[in-house]
Amino acid sequence: MPQTTSLPDDITWLGLDNVPRKFSVNQVWDSIRPRSICVNWFRIVWYSQCVSKHAFLLWILMGERLKTQDKLKSWEIHNVPLFCPLCKLRHDSHDHLFSECIYANKVWKKAVAFTCLPMVSNWKVVCNYLMPTAGRNTVNMVVAKLVFGAVVYAIWQERNNRLFKKFHHSKVKLFEDVFSTVRLKLMSIKFKNSAKVERMKTTWQL
Ligand SMILES: [Zn+2]
């Protein structure tokens, strides 16, 4: 457009709210990105201290979209013997891997003992516990969410390693991996000093 004033020319972006803002890729993406209903669990998955690969897997888990063995039933594959690679007792599913499996249970219970989470090995119970306060940035909440993400990731990785790469880790090794992953992440986060933070540092050997 030809300039009719002496003011400098500028590019602005009219967002969804019809308010002109300084043009940026961020603004454009926010205007054109697909949107859907805001889910009530998103703060359990996405938060500033999250580990990206854990968050991505949790996001898929929340939608129950992991490719577990129970899904093969709907593909009508009947002649393949299916057993959970962790306990070998029955075919795996979201609820089996992250609630019922006796191998995974041991890892859950060792890990949640280091958090404010209830002593359960059930991902839906953990989600329901975290949901009301997941938006808080307290040290206990951050630790609980980090442990939740790390346990789910470790169990899923172990399941896939056994199924496709034919090697396995013990329950103790898996817990040690969870512990060191969360510990390393906690080392990179700055918390305000408090008695709770000091207790957390002692617990996680920081
Ligand atoms: Zn199992």
Side-chain angles (χ1 to χ4, degrees):
M1 296 291 289
Q3 280 283 72
T4 54
T5 70
S6 57
L7 292 171
D9 198 4
D10 202 6
I11 301 173
T12 57
W13 180 262
L14 206 58
L16 293 175
D17 53 5
N18 267 347
V19 176
R21 292 191 178 83
K22 188 171 169 50
F23 178 87
S24 71
V25 173
N26 188 344
Q27 286 292 331
V28 175
W29 169 244
D30 196 47
S31 302
I32 64 172
R33 70 183 171 88
R35 289 165 193 274
S36 56
I37 299 164
C38 188
V39 290
N40 55 2
W41 45 257
F42 80 95
R43 289 187 194 282
I44 300 174
V45 176
W46 308 108
Y47 52 100
S48 58
Q49 303 91 346
C50 72
V51 178
S52 305
K53 62 184 182 182
H54 297 177
F56 183 69
L57 185 67
L58 278 181
W59 176 57
I60 299 173
L61 171 68
M62 293 296 188
E64 301 201 32
R65 283 179 285 120
L66 293 171
K67 295 283 181 280
T68 44
Q69 292 170 345
D70 56 323
K71 302 272 170 67
L72 294 179
K73 285 182 181 174
S74 61
W75 301 344
E76 299 189 345
I77 300 173
H78 300 297
N79 298 327
V80 183
L82 299 172
F83 294 101
C84 164
L86 304 178
C87 67
K88 299 185 172 54
L89 292 178
R90 50 160 295 182
H91 66 263
D92 69 27
S93 65
H94 289 76
D95 284 338
H96 176 79
L97 282 172
F98 304 109
S99 302
E100 299 159 359
C101 179
I102 53 172
Y103 172 98
N105 275 356
K106 295 271 177 15
V107 182
W108 273 106
K109 286 187 175 157
K110 275 179 87 75
V112 296
F114 287 81
T115 70
C116 62
L117 292 168
M119 282 297 285
V120 293
S121 49
N122 182 315
W123 70 283
K124 286 177 180 166
V125 173
V126 171
C127 283
N128 287 336
Y129 180 86
L130 288 172
M131 211 117 57
T133 51
R136 292 187 193 160
N137 220 12
T138 61
V139 61
N140 284 349
M141 190 47 62
V142 171
V143 169
K145 289 190 291 187
L146 286 175
V147 167
F148 179 46
V151 168
V152 166
Y153 186 84
I155 291 170
W156 184 246
Q157 284 294 105
E158 181 64 18
R159 179 259 191 200
N160 288 340
N161 284 340
R162 290 184 181 208
L163 207 54
F164 304 117
K165 297 183 183 173
K166 307 297 177 196
F167 70 84
H168 71 276
H169 294 118
S170 67
K171 296 181 274 285
V172 174
K173 173 74 171 72
L174 212 62
F175 166 73
E176 286 171 356
D177 287 349
V178 168
F179 188 91
S180 66
T181 302
V182 175
R183 183 172 174 271
L184 273 176
K185 185 66 195 179
L186 289 171
M187 286 169 79
S188 70
I189 302 173
K190 285 207 183 317
F191 292 103
K192 282 184 187 169
N193 278 337
S194 69
K196 280 184 183 174
V197 170
E198 287 308 311
R199 275 201 295 279
M200 178 277 287
K201 284 181 178 175
T202 307
T203 304
W204 291 91
Q205 302 162 21
L206 300 179

